[in-house]
Amino acid sequence: MSAPGASEPKLGKKDFVSDQDVRWCPGCGDYAILSQVQKVLPELGIPRERFVFVSGIGCSSRFPYYVNTYGFHSIHGRAPAIATGLKASRPELSVWIVTGDGDALSIGGNHVIHLLRRNLDVNVLLFNNKIYGLTKGQYSPTSEVGKITKSTPIGSVDHPFDPIALALGAEASFVARSVDVETRHLQDIVRRAHEHRGTSFVEILQNCNVFNDGAFADVTEKATKADHTLVLEHGKPLVFGKDRDRGIRLRNFQPEVVQLGDGVTEADLLVHDETNPALAYLIARLGPPDFPTPIGVFTAVERPCYDAALGQQIASARAKNPPDLRALLNRGDTWTVS
Amino acid sequence: MADGVATLAKPIEERDAIVIRFAGDSGDGMQVTGMQFTTGSALAGNDLATLPDFPAEIRAPAGTLAGVSAFQLNFSSLPVFTPGDDLDVLVAMNPAALKTNVEDLKAGGILIVDKESFHEQNLKKAGYDHNPLTDGSLARYQLFQIDVTKLTTAALQDLGLSARSVFRCRNFFCLGVTSWLYHRPIEPAEQWIRDKFRKTPELVEANVRALHAGYHFSENAELFAVSYSVKPAVIPPGRYRNITGNTATALGFVAAAHKAKRPLFLGSYPITPASDVLHELSTLKQFDVYTFQAEDEIAGVGAALGAAFGGAIAITTTSGPGMNLKAETIGLALAVELPLVITDIQRAGPSTGMPTKTEQADLLMAMYGRHGEAPVPVLAAATPADCFTMAYEAVRIAVKYMTPVILLSDGFLANGAEPWPIPDPDTLPDVPVTFRTDPGGFFPYVRDEESLSRPWVIPGTPGLEHRIGGLEKEYLTGNVSYAPTNHEQMMRVRARKVAGIVREIPPTEVFGPADGELLLVGWGGTYGSIRQATSQLQAAGHRVAHVHLRHLNPLPADLESILGRYRRVLVPEINLGQLVRLLRAEYLVDAIGFNKVQGRPFKVAEIVARCLKLLNGEHGEVPS
Ligand SMILES: Cc1ncc(C[n+]2csc(CCOP(=O)(O)OP(=O)(O)O)c2C)c(N)n1
Ligand code: SF4
Ligand SMILES: [Mg+2]
């Protein structure tokens, strides 16, 4: 993407704040995410008019109204489809999809996996609050089994998706997780998502303080977070804990938590490698109750993008065979009546 | 023509029109034969219309009833409106083809069969207990039994081809036979063979020989006592090609986008009978055509809408089942007021219905099939070639009015073909597209005074950043608004915008007297049969007229007064009564439905018969 002309004034966060009142519940995790994204956008070196935010329906999907760029608040689950048509025909735009766990993984699940498969050069920000916020608190496809909600008064019985594992299964080329309140981490991940060529899939753990408060308390509360979060860093061993004294080791192809010391050293631990999707899948399966929740970039690999490949086909068709409408209309067997 | 041995010249009889059908197993090449016979007829100067009839199964077992594939052609020295009702000639390559088609052959009609294919095994597969060639059951036809397989084999004897390859040349033998019988030139077919088998010279030789062998056979053999000529029709001068509805649809879209100087974006999911538009457009990338085969119809229309937001001429193509899936996105397109053309190539429903069979199934869905009051302009092509004009017009209206437009075609139009006077690209109407770039006084929903359309502002335009969406918008600013009176204002302006498209509709063409006994009102693919029926009734002295609607929403401004000038209004439709309901509701007119839903077009004779009843004072059914 080309940088704005030197003469243009430098943009700041306020340039990405729209004139619309933000309507999320006070205390909602969506505010923090909005703020971090608004902070990162001006730093990406892209003219403001080239950004487009496309969303579906849900609390999270109100996001585009609050960002002063081009935006499209569409219909439930369909943002990936709309973004696909936009990006495929306008590859110079920076296209962002904002979606929720219901929007992306329930009604829009089909579009999400195909977006990832095609690897369009767009960014997906999935706000996972493990609940349907906008419709006032039904369980979602990421809610844990036994979830008690208005629609599951004696507990849900269906097994949830893990968004990261699902994205990896769909062969996403960039898969990451961050947390609404981890401001610096979230900014870094958003920046990296932008830099990646191909679909960047980012799950953001987001607190819905009204219908699912504390769903991620273990990774957000000061007291517990160090022991319950595994921060992934490329090339570094999988270490976590307040005292960074615990790690993840592989034994008999099964991951296990080990205490460092007593003969166990960092050399025994799994080392994170973003270029290895198989490892990413293994790490994606970690999480409560037996493991900490991994955050960071699970995988980042290069793969051809649909938009670039389609554009290439069109360019070479034009070069080989310049468009001639008259010839096209007169193609095949013709005859003249005089 | 063919350089045959001089024989005693056989007498030639003249005919005004001939309806011929080639029928055989799907592996017998009947579509190719029919198409080549069509090209020959076009070059002979006849007016014509064609209709293929494919088996529903892709590869039904050879020789079975389900595997029969047919191609019908009506060629004439007079104007042709339909592929024809009953057959003058049937070519049947096997017992199954005979069984499924012979009922359509007129008494006294010519029946040509490949005698050798009527062996026990094939007879059994077709469900014949006795050989119909010998049991007298075909006595009402002129039966010509030809040893097609043996004669083709003899002609290709020294080429060293496998029996299978020889067998596959039988269709060109039959083309030769029928070409002689009706004085069609065979050079175009020869040329086609040379192009098609360019890489395998022995197949060029084999097929050309089979073609000549068939031609000489009918010339020389004692079989046919006469041959028939059909004089050229009086056709307006110009350059023509034969075109199917689906090809015409694809070309109409390409031409409109080209004229608008914008890329064309098609989002689509394969479905019969719409897939050919996707196929066709996929080969035209040099025209800046983006084709996106989506994961489903929702994604197809969604991607198209995204491309429209980005400034492309955006279209989606589907058939009935896919239309259901697109409904929500069509509503969104209408709310955000972006141009989008949704093409529904209708087929027999409900549900999966009969995918390869035609029906005027979805008019009411196109009109009303969305939640909320969501008015969408609806256009319908009348003939295969008209698909070009209406696809073009749909794009023009969509971009001028910033609205989704539904274009209706159907299976009959999609696969049927007729000669098309090829338009000069320079004389096609303009399709002006302007993207707003001026921030002065800009609001996303500021409207053009006449068309009421909002500005098209594409992402990438500095200073005009804005948000659109499906929530109700404030008049002018486009900000989200739940204000009660604002909602009503928006509902009314959306309705008024679509109603205003009436100014785009040319005066309605009335075929026949300006007033009279009976007005036939049709829409879509029934044009040909209604027009032909009307002219027959007129020729018989009845004051009958025909109006064919290509704009269904809004309806033409002059329609109400036209309806009022006839004692009776009859609405023939391939459904159980959809347009008739609209007309009754809109104009309080006592329109009567004439309905047939058999997956087939009307026969001209059926419409004539129904009209005669009505003219004789029998009222008949009203929509129930
Ligand atoms: C077709 C359709 N079905 C249902 C709804 C109702 N609906 C709106 S948002 C939503 C769920 C939203 O959940 P999620 O995507 O997790 O977003 P959140 O509100 O939690 O951010 C549902 C079911 C709708 N708007 N459209
Ligand atoms: S319902 Fe939950 S997700 Fe929605 S705005 Fe309120 S707190 Fe946020
Ligand atoms: Mg949610």
Side-chain angles (χ1 to χ4, degrees), chain B residues 42-394:
Chain B
L43 291 171
N46 297 131
D47 198 3
L48 54 87
T50 65
L51 184 68
D53 185 12
F54 308 111
E57 286 79 12
I58 307 292
R59 291 269 180 270
T64 60
L65 299 174
V68 174
S69 166
F71 186 101
Q72 182 170 325
L73 165 67
N74 181 5
F75 58 102
S76 176
S77 57
L78 301 169
V80 168
F81 297 106
T82 75
D85 284 6
D86 295 327
L87 307 175
D88 298 296
V89 194
L90 172 65
V91 177
M93 300 297 278
N94 67 9
L98 178 72
K99 184 150 203 182
T100 46
N101 290 281
V102 74
E103 269 184 22
D104 296 335
L105 185 60
K106 286 178 189 163
I110 294 178
L111 174 60
I112 299 173
V113 299
D114 178 10
K115 187 174 168 188
E116 286 144 288
S117 71
F118 283 69
H119 52 71
E120 202 176 332
Q121 202 190 349
N122 273 351
L123 289 167
K124 221 170 99 191
K125 280 191 207 160
Y128 279 117
D129 296 331
H130 303 280
N131 188 343
L133 304 184
T134 55
D135 69 2
S137 61
L138 301 173
R140 46 201 288 253
Y141 311 113
Q142 303 179 54
L143 175 62
F144 298 97
Q145 308 185 33
I146 305 181
D147 287 326
V148 178
T149 310
K150 199 180 297 167
L151 290 164
T152 308
T153 310
L156 310 187
Q157 195 175 18
D158 57 325
L159 290 179
L161 294 175
S162 67
R164 194 180 145 76
S165 297
V166 170
F167 192 76
R168 300 187 122 219
C169 296
R170 285 154 72 238
N171 62 331
F172 277 104
F173 186 95
C174 292
L175 180 63
V177 169
T178 47
S179 293
W180 179 84
L181 194 56
Y182 292 99
H183 296 257
R184 312 284 92 180
I186 55 172
E187 290 80 2
E190 258 187 67
Q191 191 51 50
W192 184 89
I193 293 168
R194 288 185 203 290
D195 292 345
K196 170 85 184 173
F197 299 110
R198 175 169 83 248
K199 294 199 181 114
T200 31
E202 63 274 22
L203 290 185
V204 171
E205 177 64 20
N207 283 290
V208 169
R209 267 204 214 175
L211 176 66
H212 284 249
Y215 196 93
H216 292 309
F217 170 79
S218 24
E219 191 174 29
N220 299 322
E222 295 295 304
L223 208 57
F224 301 112
V226 294
S227 66
Y228 303 89
S229 83
V230 176
K231 283 204 178 130
V234 183
I235 296 173
R239 191 145 180 211
Y240 287 80
R241 66 185 270 193
N242 206 34
I243 197 161
T244 66
N246 272 351
T247 300
T249 302
L251 295 188
F253 287 136
V254 172
H258 195 74
K259 206 76 177 179
K261 300 189 179 66
R262 296 303 307 158
L264 180 70
F265 185 98
L266 167 68
S268 188
Y269 188 77
I271 186 168
T272 302
S275 302
D276 278 343
V277 180
L278 168 64
H279 303 161
E280 189 92 30
L281 288 174
S282 299
T283 67
L284 298 176
K285 297 207 161 59
Q286 69 272 24
F287 287 89
D288 241 346
V289 175
Y290 293 74
T291 52
F292 171 61
Q293 182 178 316
E295 56 272 23
D296 60 26
E297 281 87 351
I298 303 176
V301 67
L305 184 58
F309 186 41
I313 302 299
I315 59 172
T316 185
T317 49
T318 191
S319 190
M323 271 310 268
N324 291 339
L325 295 179
K326 292 178 194 293
E328 191 187 7
T329 310
I330 299 172
L332 176 64
L334 172 139
V336 296
E337 303 190 38
L338 281 171
L340 173 69
V341 177
I342 303 99
T343 307
D344 176 4
I345 302 169
Q346 302 159 97
R347 66 188 217 184
S351 190
T352 309
M354 302 193 288
T356 57
K357 302 295 173 194
T358 198
E359 199 160 288
Q360 295 186 302
D362 304 336
L363 174 58
L364 292 180
M365 173 162 68
M367 288 293 295
Y368 302 120
R370 291 162 295 281
H371 68 279
E373 289 185 21
V376 170
V378 180
L379 309 182
T383 71
D386 191 44
C387 289
F388 177 89
T389 312
M390 296 319 275
Y392 195 99
E393 182 67 358

Side-chain angles (χ1 to χ4, degrees), chain A residues 18-20 23 48-54 62 64-76 78 80-86 88-93 107 110-112 114-115 117-118 120 306 310-311 313-314 317-318 321-338, chain B residues 39 42-43 235-242 251 254-255 258 265 280 283-296 298-299 302-303 305-307 309-310 312 328-329 332 336 338 388 419-420 422-426 428 457-471 479-480 482:
Chain A
S18 80
D19 60 356
Q20 297 298 295
R23 298 270 173 87
R48 187 175 63 174
E49 66 272 12
R50 285 225 208 128
F51 286 106
V52 186
F53 281 80
V54 184
R62 296 288 175 103
Y65 287 120
Y66 309 134
V67 187
N68 193 14
T69 63
Y70 285 92
F72 198 157
H73 177 225
S74 73
I75 46 179
H76 203 19
R78 316 304 172 194
I82 289 170
T84 294
L86 180 62
S89 56
R90 296 284 310 279
E92 76 280 15
L93 298 173
I107 194 165
N110 194 29
H111 306 309
V112 166
H114 289 279
L115 175 75
R117 170 176 76 81
R118 295 190 182 103
L120 275 107
Y306 182 92
L310 181 61
Q313 283 193 343
I314 288 170
R318 289 183 78 89
N321 197 358
D324 179 345
L325 185 59
R326 190 177 302 275
L328 174 67
L329 300 184
N330 283 274
R331 206 157 74 167
D333 288 329
T334 64
W335 67 93
T336 303
V337 176
S338 41
Chain B
T39 305
L43 291 171
I235 296 173
R239 191 145 180 211
Y240 287 80
R241 66 185 270 193
N242 206 34
L251 295 188
V254 172
H258 195 74
F265 185 98
E280 189 92 30
T283 67
L284 298 176
K285 297 207 161 59
Q286 69 272 24
F287 287 89
D288 241 346
V289 175
Y290 293 74
T291 52
F292 171 61
Q293 182 178 316
E295 56 272 23
D296 60 26
I298 303 176
L305 184 58
F309 186 41
E328 191 187 7
T329 310
L332 176 64
V336 296
L338 281 171
F388 177 89
W420 177 47
I422 301 169
D424 176 353
D426 298 336
L428 290 171
V457 183
I458 60 170
T461 313
L464 294 184
E465 292 86 351
H466 67 280
R467 275 66 55 193
I468 56 173
L471 287 171
N479 290 330
V480 175
Y482 287 20

Side-chain angles (χ1 to χ4, degrees), chain A residues 57-60 76 100-103 107 129 131-135, chain B residues 328:
Chain A
I57 297 290
C59 297
S60 37
H76 203 19
D101 42 317
D103 195 60
I107 194 165
N129 53 13
I131 203 82
Y132 285 0
L134 191 72
T135 45
Chain B
E328 191 187 7

Side-chain angles (χ1 to χ4, degrees), chain B residues 525-574:
Chain B
T526 52
Y527 170 84
S529 8
I530 301 178
R531 180 63 41 118
Q532 189 115 14
T534 309
S535 41
Q536 284 183 18
L537 290 160
Q538 288 168 354
H542 297 286
R543 289 184 62 78
V544 176
H546 173 207
V547 157
H548 211 74
L549 300 175
R550 294 149 88 220
H551 293 262
L552 280 316
N553 192 35
L555 287 162
D558 55 4
L559 184 59
E560 179 160 27
S561 73
I562 294 171
L563 292 171
R565 291 193 231 123
Y566 299 84
R567 213 164 65 79
R568 291 225 185 283
V569 174
L570 184 73
V571 185
E573 292 180 88
I574 309 291

Side-chain angles (χ1 to χ4, degrees), chain A residues 23-31 58-60 127 129 131-137 206-212:
Chain A
R23 298 270 173 87
W24 289 312
C25 307
C28 174
D30 291 353
Y31 283 95
C59 297
S60 37
F127 297 14
N129 53 13
I131 203 82
Y132 285 0
L134 191 72
T135 45
K136 300 192 163 63
Q206 174 245 326
N207 194 38
C208 167
N209 55 305
V210 173
F211 296 111
N212 203 14

